[in-house]
Amino acid sequence: PKHEFAHLTRQLTVQMMQNPQILAALQERLDGLNGSPSGYMESLPKVVKRRVNALKNLQVKCAHIEAKFYEEVHELERKYAALYQPLFDKRSDIVKAAYEPTDEECEWKADEEEELTDEMKEKAKLEEEKKDEEKEDPKGIPEFWLTVFKNVDLLSDMLQEHDEPILKHLQDIKVKFSDPGQPMSFTLEFHFEANDFFTNTMLTKTYKMRSEPDENDPFSFDGPEIMCCTGCTIDWTKGKNVTLKTIKKKQKHKGRGTVRTVTKTVPNDSFFNFFTPPEVPENGELDEDSEAVLAADFEIGHFIRERIVPRAVLYFTGEAIEDDDDDYDEEGEEADDEVRLIRAPC
């Protein structure tokens, strides 16, 4: 009967699927079908393969045109950076109390205020004034950049408790693009007020970029790539270098058996290690730890340039954090960004 035959067929199918040799044979057969790109290409007649090579050569030319496109984008970024800068300078002046904004400049209608009655607004205003009278008069916007850093996971992960008193003195972060005709790069400038930790008034981090297809792998080109980065020397005040710590170790003498205590200076976790990235050797090969540090470094530098500097106030208030969350898909992976990250000697 038909029912028994169907049941027998299902049993045979289950047994076959549980047999590793049968599964391996099936997989081999599937791999050999035209659905496999390499298998399909191999099956093409020689004359067709020849034409495909012509298409590949056209694709390489496309990649070179795309590289020129990104070079012009970089020129546009430089042009508009000059237009943004006066606004960023004014932001800096307000943050560090060099400029007091007018009442008109401070007017802002928040969403939650839209439905408030005049009576409720007046009551809220009186309460705010009462709070202000009770507090000391703060200058500018205290701990502005430190708060930005603490609000962004990518940056807060770098922060240690001993970094925070130093970052309270951070007054501004600026982005400077390379001059016209120079190799593509950008520099992050961290401006500090006078402090007890180091004598520098500015710390810098420069990222060198490339916008041209790799001769050995032209099809991998997908926009500008960060090649390498260089930091700067921090002139620490004696005893204030948070990138180093002193540890004491006991050593036992092999012959006499006596024990002595030795003091060693070892590296310490700190945000300020950001200014001493690993050096990439000429062969471009790094150990696993250095490679991870450099990959994170590139990501952070790009994020500060693209997100933090242009939209600092929204990271201070936390409003930009929600927008960033929308940039991730359901798997938790971030959407592709404009600049790819590679490593090479500076």
Side-chain angles (χ1 to χ4, degrees):
K2 191 185 288 185
H3 177 73
E4 287 180 13
F5 178 75
H7 178 68
L8 183 60
T9 303
R10 280 198 299 272
Q11 276 190 319
L12 284 169
T13 303
V14 170
Q15 287 172 7
M16 286 168 66
M17 290 299 100
Q18 289 173 346
N19 187 320
Q21 289 176 323
I22 292 174
L23 282 175
L26 278 171
Q27 188 62 50
E28 191 176 342
R29 174 68 181 143
L30 287 170
D31 289 344
L33 293 175
N34 285 350
S36 167
S38 58
Y40 179 68
M41 282 301 298
E42 288 302 319
S43 70
L44 290 175
K46 189 176 179 181
V47 67
V48 176
K49 287 182 186 175
R50 184 172 168 275
R51 293 170 192 142
V52 171
N53 288 340
L55 296 187
K56 284 185 173 182
N57 285 324
L58 290 175
Q59 192 63 44
V60 171
K61 290 178 180 178
C62 286
H64 284 282
I65 292 172
E66 189 180 4
K68 293 294 180 189
F69 165 78
Y70 282 114
E71 284 176 14
E72 291 198 23
V73 168
H74 189 68
E75 293 299 321
L76 272 176
E77 283 184 310
R78 188 190 353 264
K79 175 187 172 183
Y80 278 87
L83 300 177
Y84 287 127
Q85 199 52 53
L87 302 176
F88 293 158
D89 288 343
K90 194 164 191 177
R91 175 180 72 188
S92 176
D93 287 342
I94 292 171
V95 166
K96 64 187 182 186
Y99 173 77
E100 185 60 39
T102 64
D103 289 343
E104 187 181 351
E105 289 174 319
C106 293
E107 254 184 58
W108 184 262
K109 188 176 183 180
D111 292 341
E112 64 269 17
E113 288 181 4
E114 289 177 3
E115 297 178 10
L116 293 179
T117 63
D118 290 340
E119 186 181 341
M120 289 169 73
K121 286 179 186 175
E122 188 61 33
K123 187 178 179 183
K125 187 181 175 184
L126 289 170
E127 284 180 6
E128 284 293 324
E129 287 173 358
K130 188 179 177 184
K131 282 181 188 175
D132 287 343
E133 285 172 15
E134 290 170 0
K135 294 178 186 174
E136 292 180 19
D137 182 26
K139 302 296 179 188
I141 303 179
E143 301 181 16
F144 178 82
W145 289 101
L146 173 58
T147 304
V148 169
F149 276 47
K150 290 169 84 170
N151 280 347
V152 178
D153 288 345
L154 191 63
L155 302 179
S156 65
D157 288 346
M158 302 167 68
L159 288 188
Q160 306 298 320
E161 196 174 331
H162 47 252
D163 294 325
E164 294 189 16
I166 310 174
L167 287 169
K168 287 179 182 180
H169 298 284
L170 179 58
Q171 293 186 314
D172 199 10
I173 305 176
K174 294 181 180 180
V175 179
K176 292 291 173 72
F177 292 96
S178 51
D179 293 330
Q182 295 298 310
M184 191 185 290
S185 69
F186 67 92
T187 299
L188 301 176
E189 296 180 350
F190 295 74
H191 294 261
F192 287 83
E193 64 182 348
N195 61 78
D196 297 332
F197 299 93
F198 45 71
T199 56
N200 313 64
T201 56
M202 180 175 73
L203 302 179
T204 60
K205 186 73 171 285
T206 299
Y207 292 85
K208 293 182 181 178
M209 301 164 70
R210 182 180 74 183
S211 182
E212 58 187 32
D214 186 333
E215 286 183 14
N216 298 320
D217 187 16
F219 303 134
S220 68
F221 181 75
D222 193 27
E225 304 164 316
I226 294 178
M227 300 284 293
C228 66
C229 57
T230 51
C232 66
T233 301
I234 302 177
D235 300 317
W236 293 99
T237 306
K238 190 177 179 182
K240 298 287 188 177
N241 187 347
V242 294
T243 66
L244 297 173
K245 64 181 176 182
T246 303
I247 59 169
K248 290 182 178 180
K249 290 183 78 175
K250 288 184 178 180
Q251 288 184 343
K252 189 174 182 180
H253 193 280
K254 289 179 181 177
R256 295 192 295 270
T258 54
V259 177
R260 66 171 183 170
T261 302
V262 294
T263 302
K264 287 182 70 176
T265 301
V266 296
N268 193 27
D269 288 338
S270 167
F271 163 74
F272 291 92
N273 290 322
F274 180 67
F275 298 98
T276 51
E279 288 186 18
V280 180
E282 286 299 321
N283 61 13
E285 291 180 10
L286 288 167
D287 61 63
E288 203 171 304
D289 289 344
S290 296
E291 190 158 340
V293 169
L294 209 54
D297 189 302
F298 287 176
E299 184 182 359
I300 290 159
H302 183 59
F303 191 84
I304 291 173
R305 167 194 152 176
E306 289 289 313
R307 305 283 186 94
I308 299 297
V309 172
R311 309 174 72 204
V313 65
L314 301 180
Y315 285 99
F316 176 80
T317 62
E319 292 164 83
I321 311 299
E322 295 172 14
D323 293 341
D324 284 348
D325 289 342
D326 293 339
D327 289 344
Y328 286 79
D329 60 24
E330 289 179 4
E331 302 292 320
E333 292 183 2
E334 193 173 8
D336 287 343
D337 216 335
E338 184 183 301
V339 175
R340 295 173 64 241
L341 312 173
I342 63 172
R343 57 187 177 14
C346 265

